[in-house]
Amino acid sequence: MSPNPPSRQVDPRDPPEPYLSFWRERHLCTLTTPRPDGSPHVVPVGVTYDPAEGVARVLARRTSRKVAHVLATADNGGGPGARVAVCQFEGRRWATLEGVATVRTEPALIEAAELRYEERYGRRPSPNPERVLIEIRVTRAMGKA
């Protein structure tokens, strides 16, 4: 691989190994959600990515702004969820996943997401009865990994 590979579109369900490997490394990410006025709200988060399912997952507190933005988009006739993006970078390497986010409250899904988080980040999230899951159905992937 060249020291400075070009950025490119990636098949989100079948990413090349360097891209997938980058998503397995421990990196802080950002989540971008739409505010009611359409402007972007960007916050740091931990993200896990499962290309086989075509899903990225973000754990969040149910009262957070990011959760409110996802819920408001669906509630205002914006469709089944909010169009969002998650991104991570290190040096010249970067990766972005875009898709449609929904808020999930099922305990089994939250538990599974916590296990995935622990696998990627090396620690289990602290217990939080306010925890929900932002599940992103990935529709586009791009990057330079």
Side-chain angles (χ1 to χ4, degrees), residues 12 19 31-34 49 54-57 70 73 78 80-87 96-102 134-142:
Y19 189 84
L31 169 67
T32 303
T33 58
Y49 171 40
V55 172
R57 295 172 177 90
V70 171
T73 301
R83 299 281 313 161
V84 303
V86 290
C87 182
T96 297
L97 302 170
E98 297 178 3
V100 178
T102 55
I134 298 174
E135 186 177 77
I136 304 162
R137 292 281 164 198
V138 179
T139 57
R140 176 186 285 179
M142 63 197 96

Side-chain angles (χ1 to χ4, degrees), residues 59 110-119 121-127 131:
L59 295 167
I110 294 168
E111 169 80 14
E114 290 172 344
L115 292 172
R116 291 173 188 274
Y117 181 97
E118 181 178 19
E119 183 178 308
Y121 291 99
R123 68 171 186 82
R124 185 75 183 250
S126 302
R131 182 165 290 134

Side-chain angles (χ1 to χ4, degrees), residues 1 5-8 18-20 22-23 92-95 143-145:
M1 184 192 243
S7 58
R8 62 184 176 126
Y19 189 84
L20 187 54
F22 187 45
W23 276 105
R92 293 181 178 212
R93 296 186 308 158
W94 63 273
K144 185 174 170 179

Side-chain angles (χ1 to χ4, degrees), residues 17-31:
E17 183 52 38
Y19 189 84
L20 187 54
S21 186
F22 187 45
W23 276 105
R24 289 184 189 122
E25 296 172 11
R26 187 182 194 285
H27 293 287
L28 189 60
C29 304
T30 61
L31 169 67

